[in-house]
Amino acid sequence: MRSNYYHLDELAQLVQGELIGQPDLALNGLASLERAQANQIAFVNGDKHLNAAQNSQAGALIVTAEIKAQLNNHQNFIVVANPYLAFAILTHKFEIKMNKRGIESTAQISSSAIIADDAYIGHYVVIGEDCVVGANTVIQSHVKIDDDVEIGKDCFIDSHVTLTGQSKIGDRVRIHANTVIGGEGFGFAPYQGKWNRIAQLGSVRIGNDARIGSNCSVDRGALDDTIISDGVIIDNLVQIAHNVQIGENTAIAAKCGIAGSTIIGKNCILAGAVGIVGHIKITDNVTITGMSIVTKNISEAGSYSSGTGQFETNHWKRTVVRLRQLADVPLTKLVKQMDHMQTQIESIESTLKSRK
Amino acid sequence: MRSNYYHLDELAQLVQGELIGQPDLALNGLASLERAQANQIAFVNGDKHLNAAQNSQAGALIVTAEIKAQLNNHQNFIVVANPYLAFAILTHKFEIKMNKRGIESTAQISSSAIIADDAYIGHYVVIGEDCVVGANTVIQSHVKIDDDVEIGKDCFIDSHVTLTGQSKIGDRVRIHANTVIGGEGFGFAPYQGKWNRIAQLGSVRIGNDARIGSNCSVDRGALDDTIISDGVIIDNLVQIAHNVQIGENTAIAAKCGIAGSTIIGKNCILAGAVGIVGHIKITDNVTITGMSIVTKNISEAGSYSSGTGQFETNHWKRTVVRLRQLADVPLTKLVKQMDHMQTQIESIESTLKSRK
Amino acid sequence: MRSNYYHLDELAQLVQGELIGQPDLALNGLASLERAQANQIAFVNGDKHLNAAQNSQAGALIVTAEIKAQLNNHQNFIVVANPYLAFAILTHKFEIKMNKRGIESTAQISSSAIIADDAYIGHYVVIGEDCVVGANTVIQSHVKIDDDVEIGKDCFIDSHVTLTGQSKIGDRVRIHANTVIGGEGFGFAPYQGKWNRIAQLGSVRIGNDARIGSNCSVDRGALDDTIISDGVIIDNLVQIAHNVQIGENTAIAAKCGIAGSTIIGKNCILAGAVGIVGHIKITDNVTITGMSIVTKNISEAGSYSSGTGQFETNHWKRTVVRLRQLADVPLTKLVKQMDHMQTQIESIESTLKSRK
């Protein structure tokens, strides 16, 4: 493990925080409150972690002023408005960087490809005709870059990624291992009981600062392109079908699937394993909770759900028995009818009383 | 981008359509109605696209006779009974073909493997003992073909595919990038709190004209084989467990999972992210809508569903409160009881009236 | 196909069973009851297979004493308490072993990596700095082992696996093709409408005897490690997010997803496509049925579910209409109100009778 030491004042400057304590305290790592040692710094993400902070062995803490006021057995702090953001910034300082540059001897690169001098091309990478790899971009081992694919600068493409379908990828894009970008869309014309393949003539365009996890599939468009806009972040094992368009800064958690030609707006959040049908439109600032199914357009910002959390299985089985009866139970009418019956009964009772 | 020009009459002949307009109109691409230019041809897939067709800049349109009659500002047409099918056929004309043939110098091929002269074997492909690769089959870079795997003719196997477990693959099969065929099935015998691995002795058989997307897993059988029949089409990120059998021309959308030993009939359609439990049987011509769970045999053709579309989250939360009560609400009995009470009330009212 | 013959008495000894019949009966395979031939052995897994056993052409059967007593047209048996376990043991005898050892000439191995003499390193494997590969471990072609990854002895790592993030892997671990271990966790701090990447500084630790299927993603931790304990078995296309901890001998079926920092106990079973939200805790000995969503802690052992099996689609559509009304139907109150009304009606009826 290779790591460096930083002084507390250096780190405080990096996150534009106020240093309290010993400026030259040497720190060589970030850690959780529970596991941090005296040579590490930890962050306190809200009041619910106060107890853990109080008991932490960390050499220094990243805190808000409010949190700081409640801690009495620590001496070294970086005080900031947003400790989580400060933590995010510091992770980059302690990350082990891949700083190889140049082209490994075993890479197979077409003579018509253009590779920036300070890019890194790993072992057994294959790069086809007319490809472009931008400055400071890292292509890890075994990546396949098919003909006419273009990749911007400062990108990171991990091992076994397949880039095909003439995909065009922006700057500062990260694509994690074993993901496939530009694979053929699932387009078939049914005729006389058979499926006739539709060759997919579109491509994929990925904006700047996008992030795609491992084992994802992003298919190329049938005619037009599949589009992933600037700042979109996508977790692992996600399916993006042909001609999908995803707006800026939308976040998509693991195992989501978005069917063909659906358009998703900006700043949306899809929690894990959400499924979205094809050919619909979801507006900006929509949140979909985990494992929900979206079957219709969403034209108003807000949060949408389907799917229940867990039941004890026997309880759930009895619930399902009722669910299977539910279609034949006119719920709304039933409630009205009961109100009506209640009125009738009261009227009868009053009649009886008056005749006593 | 490399593309060719075709005359309108050539394209009309290809799809056995009627040419209306200028036979020698030169076209070099297919495009959507919205984006087509004067040198491109577009297709009109039904009346709902009439407006887009009217306004399209496309040089020519593929239409039915009925659609043609409603368009007055276009001059060049191919008239066919099924424009979508004609479009599917023409995509193959405009597709950029991978026409390399032969074996790249870096491929590692066992001396006992038989490779057809006009196959293509890409860089860093590894082919094991006793394998067969048929005529005109394309194996892209980094593919692993393990011992005893056989692949027919005219197949396309994309980069990073793993073919193992002695799989046998038919003719004209397409397998997209990073898919695994023949991996070990998930078979374990529980004994004294531990899982004892069952070595999987079966294989995978894939019929002719099958299509499997990217990042799929098709496991080999425990004893007998996992079977994917002729003409089956499978999208990305699909799980096919050991000993599953899928009938001819069945279509399986992205993110479906089919558990072990389940048998699915011919001409079925599984929409996205459907889950099917193990050891059941689904007859021919069954459609399962998106994200449904299938837990029991389906012996009648038809459409089956589970799972609701999205609710606004607050509405859904209130619904779940009721769902958790539902098990203890005897719905059917309740409806009967209400009818009975209604009768009782009416009888009382008539008694009261008669005694007035 | 290469296979060996074994005598029935050898096989009986292997599973510590009682031999009945011909000790030197030569067998060269295991098969299902339905497909077994005279040179193969099959097993009878419970009474429901009695008929198939009676009609089987298998040369010998693995049975319990009870089953044996009910079969009259077979002569060769291995009698054991647990035929399924005996079958599991024998599959290893008939499995075709990968017995290559040594390092293929095309492997790229950092000079600081330590590779055991009797390990196998396949073609085009890339191994980074300070890696360790233990005795008798098999690394198939195209695997990427990034810097500081350590792998124990007797492991099997299939083609196109990516091991990164300084992952530490125990002994006798099997990781199937195209899986990614140690990829970057999905951690981003939102700030001013953008997502700020949190470099992931933790790692992945995988215990002994763990098994991970194909196309899985197991992310490295943000600060602490993601942990998969001894004896855990995981099927294909499973997502394990950063900082998840999975207890010993837990089984996870295909297509499950476990969100960040969730802790799952020992001896749990997650059926197919289960989704578990982040930051919760599930105790030991919990079973979750297929495609369920788990949104809250589970602190009692038992079985939990959500999600219904399939409905005929029209029935389901009518059910969903009712579900959308359900939030406004006070079910429990309604049942009580009906009981109350029933009492009122009976009281009225008795009053009427008394006044006759």
Side-chain angles (χ1 to χ4, degrees), chain A residues 1-2 30-32 35 43 82 84-85 87-88 91-92 94-96 100 106 123-124 140-142 158-160 174 176-178 211 214-215 231 233-237 249-255 267 269 290-291 307-313 316 320 323-324 326-332 334-335 338-339 341-342 345 348-349 352 355-356, chain C residues 106-108 124 126 129 142-144 146-148 160-162 166 178 180 184-186 188-189 191 193 195-199 201 215-217 219 223-224 237-239 255-257 273 275 289 291-298 303-311 315 318-319 322-323 325-326 329 334 337-338 341 344-345 348 351-352 355:
Chain A
M1 196 84 72
R2 293 138 294 184
L30 269 162
S32 61
R35 299 188 185 228
F43 75 108
N82 186 339
Y84 192 52
L85 180 65
F87 155 67
T91 59
H92 294 260
F94 291 104
E95 187 183 19
I96 295 166
K100 288 182 189 165
T106 59
H123 278 296
Y124 302 126
Q140 290 282 37
S141 70
H142 306 101
D158 209 349
S159 295
H160 303 118
R174 296 176 68 90
H176 291 281
N178 294 52
R211 187 271 195 195
S214 61
N215 283 314
I233 58 173
I234 297 178
D235 199 355
N236 305 331
L237 288 157
N249 300 316
T250 281
I252 300 180
K255 298 192 71 257
N267 308 313
I269 296 178
M291 282 181 90
T308 65
Q310 80 273 16
F311 290 54
E312 191 279 326
T313 297
W316 180 248
V320 172
L323 267 179
R324 291 192 183 276
L326 196 61
D328 296 321
V329 177
L331 286 171
T332 307
L334 210 125
V335 171
M338 274 193 63
D339 286 348
M341 284 163 64
Q342 191 67 58
I345 289 171
I348 291 167
E349 286 180 328
L352 280 180
R355 293 194 188 173
K356 212 180 279 178
Chain C
T106 59
Q108 294 288 341
Y124 302 126
V126 173
E129 292 175 28
H142 306 100
V143 168
K144 165 65 174 283
D146 211 352
D147 298 346
D148 296 305
H160 304 117
V161 165
T162 301
Q166 312 184 314
N178 295 52
V180 179
E184 182 165 279
F186 193 60
F188 292 83
Y191 184 65
W195 297 103
N196 293 270
R197 171 177 168 256
I198 298 169
L201 308 177
N215 283 314
C216 291
S217 293
D219 282 350
L223 291 173
D224 303 330
L237 289 157
V238 168
Q239 153 76 353
K255 299 191 70 256
C256 286
T289 63
M291 282 179 92
S292 296
I293 315 178
V294 179
T295 55
K296 290 184 179 155
N297 289 340
I298 297 180
S303 177
Y304 298 83
S305 304
S306 74
T308 64
Q310 80 274 16
F311 289 55
H315 180 193
R318 292 190 299 121
T319 305
R322 298 304 173 207
L323 267 178
Q325 300 168 344
L326 196 60
V329 177
L334 209 125
Q337 191 186 347
M338 275 193 63
M341 284 163 64
Q344 288 178 301
I345 290 172
I348 291 169
T351 304
L352 281 180
R355 295 195 189 170

Side-chain angles (χ1 to χ4, degrees), chain B residues 13-33:
Chain B
Q13 265 177 27
L14 249 167
V15 299
Q16 299 175 311
E18 182 194 357
L19 180 148
I20 294 180
Q22 192 185 334
D24 62 350
L25 179 72
L27 297 163
N28 81 335
L30 269 162
S32 61
L33 289 168

Side-chain angles (χ1 to χ4, degrees), chain B residues 43-252:
Chain B
F43 77 107
V44 189
N45 195 20
D47 280 359
K48 67 178 173 179
H49 297 285
L50 261 177
N51 227 3
Q54 197 72 304
N55 298 322
S56 178
Q57 302 297 312
L61 296 175
I62 308 170
V63 292
T64 60
E66 294 71 37
I67 298 271
K68 156 94 189 53
Q70 298 171 73
L71 294 172
N72 52 29
N73 56 356
H74 284 275
Q75 287 156 355
N76 298 299
F77 298 93
I78 298 176
V79 181
V80 291
N82 186 338
Y84 192 53
L85 181 65
F87 155 67
I89 292 166
L90 291 188
T91 59
H92 294 261
K93 201 75 187 168
F94 290 104
E95 187 183 20
I96 295 166
K97 300 282 193 270
M98 214 302 281
N99 44 30
K100 287 181 188 167
R101 288 299 176 270
I103 299 175
E104 298 286 358
S105 60
T106 59
Q108 294 287 340
I109 302 178
S110 161
S111 59
S112 61
I114 300 168
I115 314 293
D117 287 347
D118 58 353
Y120 172 73
I121 309 294
H123 277 296
Y124 302 125
V125 168
V126 173
I127 301 183
E129 293 174 27
D130 300 318
C131 293
V132 176
V133 176
N136 200 38
T137 281
V138 170
I139 309 288
Q140 290 282 38
S141 70
H142 306 101
V143 168
K144 164 65 173 283
I145 303 179
D146 212 352
D147 297 347
D148 297 306
V149 167
E150 297 177 14
I151 305 172
K153 59 184 183 185
D154 301 314
C155 292
F156 174 82
I157 313 291
D158 208 348
S159 293
H160 303 118
V161 165
T162 302
L163 302 174
T164 182
Q166 310 184 316
S167 300
K168 303 292 177 271
I169 295 168
D171 299 333
R172 297 173 301 282
V173 171
R174 296 175 69 88
I175 301 178
H176 291 280
N178 295 52
T179 276
V180 179
I181 306 289
E184 184 165 277
F186 194 60
F188 293 82
Y191 184 64
Q192 296 185 333
K194 305 217 170 189
W195 298 102
N196 293 269
R197 170 175 169 260
I198 298 170
Q200 305 287 298
L201 308 176
S203 185
V204 175
R205 280 185 282 146
I206 297 180
N208 298 323
D209 302 296
R211 187 272 194 195
I212 299 175
S214 60
N215 283 314
C216 290
S217 292
V218 179
D219 282 351
R220 65 178 179 266
L223 292 171
D224 303 330
D225 295 341
T226 303
I227 295 171
I228 293 178
S229 303
D230 293 354
V232 168
I233 57 173
I234 296 177
D235 199 354
N236 304 331
L237 289 157
V238 168
Q239 152 76 353
I240 308 284
H242 51 178
N243 299 106
V244 165
Q245 297 179 29
I246 300 176
E248 289 174 28
N249 300 316
T250 281
I252 299 179

